[in-house]
Amino acid sequence: MEKILDLISAEVTKAFADAGYEEKFGKVTLSNRPDLCEFQCNGAMAAAKAYKKAPFLIADDVAQALTGNAVFSSVESVKPGFLNLKLSEQYLADYMNEMQAAEKLGVEAIGHGETVIVDYGGANVAKPLHVGHLRSAIIGESIKRMGRYMGYNMIGDVHLGDWGLQMGLIIEELRERQPELVYFDESYTGAYPEEAPFTIGELEEIYPAASKKSKEDEAFSERAHQATLKLQQGYAPYRAIWEHIMRVSKADLEKNYNNLDVHFDLWKGESDADPYIPGLIQDLVNQGLAYESQGALVVDIAEETDSKELPPCIVRKSDGAALYATSDLGTILEREKDYAPVEYIYVADKRQQLHFTQVFRVAKKAGYVKPETKMVNVGFGTMNGKDGKPFKTRDGGVMRLEHLIADINEAVYARIMENRAIGEEEAHEIAKVVGLAALKYGDLSNQASKDYIFDIDRFISFEGNTGPYILYTIVRIKSILKKYAEAGLRAEGSVILPAKEAEEKDLMLEIAKFNSVMEAAFLETAPHKICAYIYDLANALNRFYHATKIMAEEDRIVQAGYIRLLELTKSVLETGINLLGFSAPEKM
């Protein structure tokens, strides 16, 4: 289904041609003066230079050519040369009905099944998720959902940190605590136990204890480095411990990500890239791209168009160890072999921008990805407390994600119980749904690259630009539809009628923007555009609701038209929140 701006532009383009001017001047945009018109065309201003003619005379000619056009209820030529346009109510109603009947509300599937990899999550095993993992998970999940809606084969990868020094630290700490375990008996030749020698709670205590010890005890630190090396070289007892760590950690991570309604198609990690690294480094040397610098192996990435000096990418340290860049390049080789995506999207803290610039350029320079493959880094800002500093617990520590979610749910529950309209158990269930909306919308409504203030009181408000306000609007529509059905009335087979009042037309005009917004939000990896759109749509719906006596309308055909419009609004709002990663309850 064509976007409404494109349809309107086609009419105006034809009118320019009919009036004797080039079609390129017929582009239409949303009006920047909605008090005067709904859409505008400024093409006559540009055409004036080409035709050496006063712009208002060109605009007059085009307005004349549009006389009687059924798409518009009003076409005005306004000095010095603007075209002010208002849509025909009938044309707009027809567009609404077409949207309602169309698959995916008329959004064009521009992806055509092409594969896009979204790399988000980035958690380290053996550690609990904390607030620092929130933004990548929320933003990445939304981008993945948007892409699927646009027809792409989106593959989300958690990309775990599972292959570094933390593994050696855990192994050595475990050896000190439980030296009797068979993994530390060099004479042991049997099968290793299926049961892990630790719980997730114990594992989450083991790592920080080992990390602290490594900073104070050089011998322990050295043993941990050696244990890491032996693990990476395939030493069977340590591999068995590593597999226990992975199973226990993944189960806990999955539970916590599920609480955020965040889901991954792949649970890959740095370990999966490891087999590719020796060949990768050798290939970079063979191509003449990698060279030795101060004992390390590096690849130059600077380009003539760079506005600032960019350092080379280190692919192997002087001690022979690989780095994050090497791991990411190895992962790209694996993804190219398995999926050959048309685009990579990496969601990570914006402070890692240089890292991704280096990785992307090496990948392109070495020919590991095609020149036309898009490689995007969605760099996000920090979530700060009310003091403007990175969000912390009251005692100054990093808050666990499950504790943050629990705090929001409890605050929403208290707000719901203020009116005591529902029972406690139901209130708790609704609080989980509304709390997730408050958390995700509070994050996603900000442009990803910007820092924002985490403010529970503002996020859980049922008024203003918040998730609960959007949900309240959807619940309001559900309530009206329920009352309509309970009155024994049915709108099936009815159509949305031409708007009779300004508020009704304004609602339709907002709905008509849907497919343009969806496409732009995905192509620009900008979930905040969806937030802005559904907020405007919710406001338009509520203005229509307050101005229109829907249930008291005596003309059943008119009333059924209202109901159909409400159903369409609900579909658009529910699609929007689903793409943001949350849903609406039946009541609030």
Side-chain angles (χ1 to χ4, degrees):
M1 186 172 168
E2 282 194 73
K3 295 186 278 292
I4 197 154
L5 267 176
D6 291 343
L7 292 168
I8 301 168
S9 288
E11 296 296 324
V12 177
T13 292
K14 182 177 179 300
F16 266 89
D18 290 346
Y21 304 105
E22 283 188 74
E23 292 183 345
K24 68 179 182 181
F25 298 114
K27 184 181 178 183
V28 172
T29 60
L30 287 169
S31 172
N32 57 18
R33 286 289 305 276
D35 54 320
L36 299 177
C37 60
E38 296 156 359
F39 301 90
Q40 66 187 62
C41 174
N42 302 340
M45 306 296 285
K49 295 178 182 176
Y51 291 93
K52 296 182 171 52
K53 187 174 181 179
F56 76 90
L57 294 176
I58 296 174
D60 286 348
D61 292 341
V62 177
Q64 183 62 38
L66 285 169
T67 300
N69 190 304
V71 172
F72 304 103
S73 63
S74 166
V75 178
E76 283 188 300
S77 170
V78 179
K79 288 185 178 180
F82 302 118
L83 278 171
N84 288 355
L85 309 166
K86 289 184 180 179
L87 280 191
S88 148
E89 283 74 11
Q90 182 65 57
Y91 182 82
L92 187 55
D94 290 344
Y95 193 82
M96 295 294 100
N97 288 307
E98 190 179 346
M99 275 186 72
Q100 195 150 45
E103 185 180 355
K104 291 187 175 178
L105 300 166
V107 169
E108 184 185 351
I110 60 172
H112 306 297
E114 292 180 317
T115 297
V116 175
I117 299 277
V118 187
D119 187 315
Y120 67 107
N124 288 314
V125 299
K127 297 181 187 179
L129 288 176
H130 57 74
V131 294
H133 296 112
L134 182 71
R135 299 210 71 191
S136 57
I138 288 177
I139 296 167
E141 182 70 15
S142 180
I143 290 170
K144 183 188 72 178
R145 292 183 183 210
M146 288 192 293
R148 283 189 180 152
Y149 198 77
M150 300 306 299
Y152 289 91
N153 172 34
M154 304 294 290
I155 298 175
D157 187 1
V158 67
H159 200 64
L160 296 168
D162 66 347
W163 205 233
L165 179 59
Q166 83 244 39
M167 294 302 168
L169 289 168
I170 292 167
I171 289 168
E172 280 308 302
E173 182 66 17
L174 196 62
R175 181 199 299 276
E176 292 199 356
R177 294 182 182 207
Q178 302 183 62
E180 73 283 359
L181 292 174
V182 294
Y183 312 98
F184 307 120
D185 181 355
E186 293 185 7
S187 64
Y188 182 78
T189 56
Y192 294 105
E194 290 187 13
E195 191 75 23
F198 42 71
T199 64
I200 184 62
E202 290 166 340
L203 187 60
E204 289 176 356
E205 188 274 322
I206 287 171
Y207 173 71
S211 180
K212 182 173 184 292
K213 191 178 293 183
S214 71
K215 294 179 175 66
E216 300 163 354
D217 184 340
E218 281 189 31
F220 179 85
S221 178
E222 179 55 31
R223 291 198 301 274
H225 275 89
Q226 290 306 311
T228 304
L229 185 61
K230 289 179 77 170
L231 167 67
Q232 294 178 352
Q233 289 173 343
Y235 182 55
Y238 292 178
R239 274 290 179 133
I241 295 174
W242 177 80
E243 286 168 4
H244 286 315
I245 294 170
M246 293 303 294
R247 275 197 297 273
V248 169
S249 288
K250 185 184 171 188
D252 185 65
L253 288 169
E254 230 170 334
K255 178 192 77 177
N256 281 287
Y257 278 124
N258 283 341
N259 288 339
L260 273 178
D261 203 1
V262 167
H263 310 280
F264 300 98
D265 306 288
L266 300 176
W267 283 79
K268 295 279 191 177
E270 292 166 357
S271 58
D272 292 287
D274 196 60
Y276 293 86
I277 288 176
L280 162 73
I281 289 175
Q282 190 58 54
D283 180 67
L284 291 172
V285 171
N286 292 346
Q287 288 195 55
L289 296 175
Y291 63 93
E292 199 169 296
S293 174
Q294 297 179 338
L297 204 62
V298 303
V299 177
D300 285 330
I301 59 142
E303 296 176 356
E304 288 183 8
T305 53
D306 291 338
S307 58
K308 61 181 180 181
E309 191 174 337
L310 294 177
C313 178
I314 304 173
V315 293
R316 189 178 66 200
K317 292 200 297 187
S318 55
D319 62 3
L323 294 94
Y324 284 125
T326 331
S327 173
D328 278 342
L329 287 165
T331 300
I332 287 170
L333 288 176
E334 181 186 32
R335 288 169 175 169
E336 284 293 316
K337 178 174 72 72
D338 293 343
Y339 304 105
V342 298
E343 182 173 1
Y344 290 89
I345 301 173
Y346 291 79
V347 184
D349 189 307
K350 65 183 179 183
R351 288 170 291 190
Q352 296 186 44
Q353 184 180 6
L354 174 60
H355 165 80
F356 286 107
T357 299
Q358 291 175 322
V359 168
F360 295 169
R361 289 192 181 183
V362 173
K364 289 284 179 86
K365 203 170 181 179
Y368 299 149
V369 298
K370 296 173 184 174
E372 65 271 21
T373 300
K374 285 181 68 178
M375 304 190 84
V376 178
N377 168 215
V378 180
F380 54 81
T382 55
M383 183 179 95
N384 296 327
K386 290 182 181 180
D387 60 359
K389 297 176 181 176
F391 191 83
K392 300 280 186 184
T393 58
R394 286 177 184 172
D395 61 5
V398 178
M399 181 177 276
R400 290 175 68 136
L401 199 48
E402 58 189 297
H403 295 162
L404 180 75
I405 294 171
D407 285 353
I408 284 192
N409 291 349
E410 194 56 41
V412 173
Y413 169 77
R415 183 68 57 90
I416 291 171
M417 291 304 290
E418 285 174 5
N419 60 23
R420 295 204 169 269
I422 55 178
E424 289 187 15
E425 187 176 341
E426 188 178 13
H428 276 299
E429 290 305 309
I430 292 173
K432 288 179 186 176
V433 178
V434 178
L436 187 62
L439 180 63
K440 287 194 168 185
Y441 191 92
D443 186 297
L444 293 170
S445 57
N446 300 276
Q447 190 172 332
S449 61
K450 294 183 177 176
D451 301 346
Y452 74 91
I453 301 295
F454 181 82
D455 183 344
I456 284 187
D457 292 335
R458 183 170 66 82
F459 285 7
I460 68 170
S461 173
F462 283 43
E463 298 174 353
N465 189 9
T466 69
Y469 170 71
I470 304 297
L471 298 194
Y472 186 76
T473 302
I474 294 171
V475 169
R476 167 172 274 169
I477 297 173
K478 287 181 177 182
S479 175
I480 298 169
L481 297 180
K482 185 179 179 184
K483 286 178 185 173
Y484 185 75
E486 287 173 347
L489 301 168
R490 296 289 180 270
E492 290 86 352
S494 300
V495 296
I496 296 169
L497 301 173
K500 293 161 65 176
E501 303 295 337
E503 292 83 2
E504 187 179 4
K505 189 177 186 185
D506 287 345
L507 175 58
M508 293 186 192
L509 287 167
E510 281 299 330
I511 293 171
K513 298 174 186 175
F514 176 70
N515 47 12
S516 294
V517 171
M518 293 303 115
E519 186 173 309
F522 176 70
L523 293 177
E524 297 170 31
T525 54
H528 71 278
K529 287 183 177 288
I530 295 180
C531 293
Y533 170 69
I534 61 175
Y535 177 58
D536 287 344
L537 180 57
N539 284 336
L541 180 282
N542 286 312
R543 285 193 295 268
F544 167 68
Y545 168 79
H546 289 297
T548 311
K549 292 180 171 60
I550 298 168
M551 290 305 298
E553 175 58 55
E554 294 180 358
D555 186 323
R556 289 287 177 249
I557 295 175
V558 172
Q559 187 182 45
Y562 289 157
I563 294 298
R564 295 295 279 164
L565 181 58
L566 288 180
E567 289 172 344
L568 178 57
T569 308
K570 174 174 163 286
S571 294
V572 172
L573 286 171
E574 287 183 328
T575 299
I577 64 172
N578 178 262
L579 298 181
L580 296 174
F582 56 91
S583 58
E586 290 304 308
K587 60 182 179 180
M588 285 171 69

